[in-house]
Amino acid sequence: TNTVYVGANDGLLHAIDAANGNELFSYVPNALFPKLYKLTQPNYVHDYYVDGEIAVSTNFETPGKNILVGSLGRGGKTLYALDVTAPSSFDASKVLWEYTDADLGLALGKPIIAKMNNGKAAVIVGNGYNSATERGMLLIIDLETGALLQKIDTKAGSSTATNGLASPRGWDADGNGTLDYLYIGDLLGNLWKIDLTSATASSWGTALGTAAAPTPFFVTVDPDGNRQPITGMVGLGINGRKGDPNFGKRYVFIGTGSYITSTDETSKQVQSWYGLIDDGVAI
């Protein structure tokens, strides 16, 4: 629709006509109303509002319409969804849902929208940081209704070893347009592979280990044996170099590091880039 969407710390998501810069509409997520008053205070201290990443569906995931999903990032523990098929005529009826959950923290990663193997269009997001349980959780939500399709608990993290999942990256293994696998990292250095190949949402889960005892695909450690946090998005690719012994294999690329907490500013921990081959087993 030739529209730019951007969140801001004025409490608003802004929709801007890319052709002329005019604002088409603005939206205040309901979860932010309790702290809007702070913006008018003479002694205002900086706070975050609509700080999170945004994803918009295409005609493939939602034929005939576009649905926007955003997180509040550091502004709050909420996801919101809007029907933005016709931005110039946006009104209250186009607000689809807002989602909160005890396992949803400050989601700093970018949500992804995908067609799933159960026929549903879904938004998938890592739960982020400072959730009630402090564990790494992956949330898969029905894009149109806001209903939770599946919550995948990695079991990694606790009140003494705080954790959260970053940005997911999906992979369509059979090329039919639906999401089959997903890779995502956490603060404790775990890289998780998620199996979404089933047509039944309740069967989605970690690809390795069991639901009761999930196994990460890989664990990042520095030269001293300390875990390296993964807070960025995973990269994926196929080795297309003919003659190479790993020709045709799926490669997984990750970088470690964190710039989230105040202690990160002075951390001198060694961080790394990793290139991994997925042969279907834990490394």
Side-chain angles (χ1 to χ4, degrees):
T1 59
N2 204 29
T3 306
V4 174
Y5 298 99
V6 58
N9 289 325
D10 59 0
L12 297 165
L13 170 77
H14 299 274
I16 299 167
D17 188 323
N20 55 31
N22 292 336
E23 184 170 78
L24 299 174
F25 73 84
S26 58
Y27 171 70
V28 182
N30 187 65
L32 293 178
F33 273 88
K35 65 176 186 177
L36 285 179
Y37 76 93
K38 294 181 180 180
L39 293 167
T40 69
Q41 302 303 297
N43 58 347
Y44 171 73
V45 177
H46 171 70
D47 201 350
Y48 292 97
Y49 286 82
V50 189
D51 179 61
E53 298 270 9
I54 295 165
V56 181
S57 71
T58 68
N59 196 58
F60 177 74
E61 293 97 18
T62 51
K65 66 173 68 173
N66 301 112
I67 295 177
L68 177 150
V69 177
S71 76
L72 298 184
R74 296 164 184 82
K77 302 174 182 180
T78 299
L79 303 172
Y80 60 92
L82 311 174
D83 183 338
V84 294
T85 308
S88 60
S89 59
F90 184 86
D91 58 27
S93 68
K94 302 302 192 298
V95 178
L96 299 181
W97 48 264
E98 289 193 12
Y99 182 89
T100 58
D101 189 300
D103 293 313
L104 178 63
L106 303 174
L108 304 187
K110 184 178 177 66
I112 61 172
I113 293 172
K115 199 80 168 179
M116 310 301 289
N117 284 302
N118 67 346
K120 298 276 190 180
V123 57
I124 307 171
V125 63
N127 69 323
Y129 313 109
N130 296 352
S131 68
T133 56
E134 295 286 6
R135 290 205 301 268
M137 302 270 193
L138 185 73
L139 304 175
I140 305 175
I141 300 165
D142 187 301
L143 182 59
E144 302 212 35
T145 68
L148 182 67
L149 295 175
Q150 178 67 312
K151 182 189 296 182
I152 299 173
D153 184 355
T154 67
K155 309 294 184 181
S158 66
S159 59
T160 56
T162 60
N163 197 18
L165 294 184
S167 299
R169 173 77 78 179
W171 187 261
D172 177 9
D174 54 14
N176 69 347
T178 60
L179 195 60
D180 296 313
Y181 295 100
L182 185 142
Y183 298 82
I184 192 167
D186 70 21
L187 275 181
L188 300 180
N190 299 300
L191 175 63
W192 300 96
K193 180 183 178 182
I194 308 297
D195 186 343
L196 304 170
T197 55
S198 175
T200 305
S202 59
S203 298
W204 299 338
T206 53
L208 303 167
T210 64
T215 299
F217 170 62
F218 183 70
V219 179
T220 58
V221 293
D222 67 18
D224 295 321
N226 301 308
R227 298 286 189 101
Q228 297 168 301
I230 304 169
T231 57
M233 186 181 285
V234 178
L236 297 173
I238 292 291
N239 184 342
R241 184 180 179 187
K242 291 183 179 180
D244 188 279
N246 293 308
F247 173 72
K249 290 186 178 181
R250 186 184 313 151
Y251 276 65
V252 185
F253 302 101
I254 51 171
T256 67
S258 172
Y259 195 67
I260 296 173
T261 69
S262 56
T263 57
D264 289 336
E265 291 186 309
T266 55
S267 172
K268 292 181 173 61
Q269 182 187 15
V270 173
Q271 305 298 339
S272 308
W273 284 104
Y274 294 90
L276 311 167
I277 295 174
D278 184 358
D279 278 331
V281 296
I283 298 176

